[in-house]
Amino acid sequence: HVTRGLAYDNFASMRNFSGFSTQKFLGKIGGREVSQLMLGSANYSVDDYPIAVIDRIEVIRGPGASIWGTNAVNGVINLVTKHSGDTQGDSFRMIMQDNGTFMGDYIHGGQVSEDSFYRVWARTQEYAEGTLDSGLPARDDGYLRKAGFRYDKELGSDLNLYLAGGFATRRLEHVLDLTARLLVNNAAPVIVPGQAPLIPIHAAKDLDDFLFASPVLTDGITPNPFQGTNPFNLPNPLIPISWQSSAVPGQTVSALGLPRYERYGAMSNDSAHLVSKFEGITDGDLEWSLTGFVDNTDINMGHLGFEWEQTQYDLSFDANRPVGDFHRLSFGLSAQRTELDVVTRVIEPFQFGSSQVPILDYDQAYVSFDRFNAYLQDSITLSEQLMLSVGAKFEENDLAGFGFQPGMRASWMANENNVFWAGYSKAHRQPSLR
């Protein structure tokens, strides 16, 4: 299920667990896991590839605990890119909309020697500004620039290497409508930052209207004795004079009948990654691969005063081999380390005197996390139509402790057009830090 969460973000999920933060779903692109530890989700608009370099997209429906492991609760998307020898020459694609939004891809592939090939690509995207229901500009325009490469070399008759990498930079604006979220001192005729008690203005207005401006029957018989009074002395309007000038020109009131106050801030996303993979087949029909990657992402949510930089290191070994005529064993080990640098700021208009509280706060004691796991699975051919797989994954995770994730799945090919499958799995979700 692919959704456009915002005007500029694409998200993929499964089993109707969609929305901005698509947790419980594992996304892998070009050999690396792309889920953000802070959000617990993957943003495919930043991490995707041009269509021309995609070999296939594997979709694992339902839990995939034994091999895929953590976060493969509702399903898995695994995007595999083409060998650079399959993308020789030049390719160009452009998509344009009548509102000014466009995207362009350029891909070039070449050959270094008889057994080595390369590919480079670049993409540029422009997001046109949208329009609010009120007719005012949404101020959500921006751009995305990204590029990448892949190098493939045959090291032997049964040994191959590929090296791939890329970077992306995105700049956007985003609005935080604070009209219904600002705070009001309910004991003073004007808002004085730092004075308590403070309650949200929409709550204050609702309270005043409900209790003291309408004939509410407190016991079902007696009219409200406070009707028409204002004992809390709620200010009208509930926005300080100094902020009224910040209201959007041409739109003086919000849905609450209050002057609008919106805060705009830049949202940036800078990322880069490098992936290396050795793969081969031994004389004993053991297929194996050794993959390592480093990934760095810096995301700044300027409209909230929240920024984090995530650096992730991952090393994994995967293998499978036939055992007899009816069994194939798959097994592997992996280690992952994630390091975070989180910055929180108190932004206007939330600086109420000594109460300096960020919208999103973070415990700086948690800035590095390790994850280790191992898995084993046996795929059993019971007949030409019936197959069974049984396995488990074992994991030690700084965020969730030790985990045992068993899985079993059976499939029956009833005929050429129908396959029935059933499975049991206990897959874990890595908690998101947010």
Side-chain angles (χ1 to χ4, degrees):
H1 182 60
V2 181
T3 59
R4 170 81 41 99
L6 301 168
Y8 39 78
D9 276 335
N10 302 318
F11 299 95
S13 61
M14 190 172 291
R15 296 190 170 186
N16 210 33
F17 287 89
S18 57
F20 177 75
S21 185
T22 51
Q23 301 177 355
K24 312 178 187 70
F25 188 75
L26 178 64
K28 299 196 73 173
I29 295 181
R32 60 193 178 93
E33 186 176 341
V34 293
S35 298
Q36 277 287 328
L37 191 58
M38 183 62 69
L39 298 178
S41 62
N43 185 345
Y44 293 94
S45 56
V46 174
D47 288 311
D48 67 349
Y49 281 82
I51 290 178
V53 308
I54 298 175
D55 180 65
R56 65 187 185 277
I57 300 177
E58 301 173 346
V59 179
I60 290 83
R61 303 178 186 280
S66 56
I67 286 184
W68 297 97
T70 299
N71 294 330
V73 177
N74 294 319
V76 181
I77 280 185
N78 182 36
L79 187 152
V80 181
T81 58
K82 292 180 180 178
H83 189 285
S84 54
D86 296 329
T87 54
Q88 296 295 287
D90 298 278
S91 172
F92 178 72
R93 181 180 69 134
M94 176 173 283
I95 304 172
M96 301 183 68
Q97 293 180 202
D98 55 7
N99 65 356
T101 293
F102 77 90
M103 177 178 70
D105 290 334
Y106 171 71
I107 305 162
H108 170 74
Q111 186 170 357
V112 179
S113 64
E114 184 178 337
D115 56 5
S116 59
F117 303 84
Y118 72 91
R119 174 177 64 235
V120 293
W121 61 268
R123 167 180 288 181
T124 180
Q125 286 180 250
E126 294 288 341
Y127 305 99
E129 184 177 47
T131 303
L132 301 175
D133 289 343
S134 62
L136 294 173
R139 294 184 61 181
D140 59 352
D141 54 321
Y143 65 84
L144 171 62
R145 314 276 190 260
K146 58 196 304 183
F149 75 93
R150 173 164 169 163
Y151 172 76
D152 290 89
K153 183 174 178 58
E154 183 180 321
L155 301 177
S157 59
D158 292 315
L159 181 61
N160 299 289
L161 162 72
Y162 88 74
L163 184 68
F167 76 91
T169 180
R170 187 174 73 172
R171 295 293 182 271
L172 301 164
E173 283 191 336
H174 196 72
V175 62
L176 184 64
D177 188 344
L178 303 169
T179 311
R181 295 173 176 84
L182 296 178
L183 301 179
V184 59
N185 185 318
N186 61 10
V190 296
I191 298 176
V192 180
Q195 290 190 3
L198 298 172
I199 60 175
I201 58 171
H202 69 282
K205 184 177 186 300
D206 291 344
L207 183 66
D208 190 42
D209 289 348
F210 182 73
L211 291 180
F212 312 118
S214 58
V216 178
L217 301 178
T218 55
D219 59 3
I221 301 175
T222 307
N224 183 359
F226 298 106
Q227 179 184 354
T229 66
N230 186 3
F232 285 174
N233 195 24
L234 294 174
N236 187 26
L238 303 177
I239 299 287
I241 300 299
S242 61
W243 286 352
Q244 290 188 37
S245 60
S246 300
V248 178
Q251 189 177 13
T252 58
V253 297
S254 69
L256 293 173
L258 305 171
R260 292 187 67 87
Y261 183 80
E262 297 174 332
R263 186 186 193 281
Y264 288 87
M267 286 205 312
S268 63
N269 187 321
D270 297 309
S271 62
H273 68 272
L274 186 65
V275 182
S276 179
K277 182 176 183 178
F278 290 91
E279 56 186 358
I281 304 176
T282 68
D283 293 338
D285 292 331
L286 175 71
E287 298 181 11
W288 64 272
S289 66
L290 180 65
T291 308
F293 73 81
V294 57
D295 191 305
N296 178 266
T297 303
D298 191 333
I299 297 177
N300 181 14
M301 305 176 73
H303 62 300
L304 299 178
F306 191 70
E307 179 180 6
W308 74 91
E309 181 179 4
Q310 172 180 296
T311 304
Q312 196 169 80
Y313 308 90
D314 191 284
L315 183 64
S316 61
F317 174 81
D318 300 277
N320 71 84
R321 62 161 300 169
V323 177
D325 296 330
F326 305 105
H327 297 265
R328 177 173 287 272
L329 291 180
S330 302
F331 55 94
L333 303 163
S334 70
Q336 184 183 95
R337 181 172 181 82
T338 304
E339 297 177 351
L340 288 170
D341 182 14
V342 184
V343 177
T344 59
R345 306 178 186 88
V346 181
I347 61 174
E348 288 284 359
F350 296 97
Q351 296 178 350
F352 293 102
S354 60
S355 180
Q356 303 293 313
V357 180
I359 297 177
L360 297 175
D361 204 358
Y362 186 74
D363 190 341
Q364 296 292 336
Y366 299 93
V367 293
S368 62
F369 306 90
D370 293 319
R371 193 174 83 185
F372 305 95
N373 59 52
Y375 70 87
L376 175 65
Q377 177 172 289
D378 185 14
S379 299
I380 309 167
T381 302
L382 300 176
S383 69
E384 292 184 358
Q385 293 78 30
L386 187 61
M387 296 190 66
L388 174 69
S389 65
V390 181
K393 192 160 202 171
F394 306 88
E395 180 172 287
E396 178 63 37
N397 189 325
D398 283 350
L399 277 173
F402 177 78
F404 171 63
Q405 304 182 58
M408 179 172 64
R409 186 175 296 215
S411 66
W412 172 51
M413 182 177 291
N415 51 53
E416 293 181 355
N417 301 314
N418 295 279
V419 175
F420 294 91
W421 67 269
Y424 162 79
S425 181
K426 183 181 180 181
H428 294 178
R429 177 179 72 86
Q430 180 167 273
S432 64
L433 298 177
R434 185 188 60 169

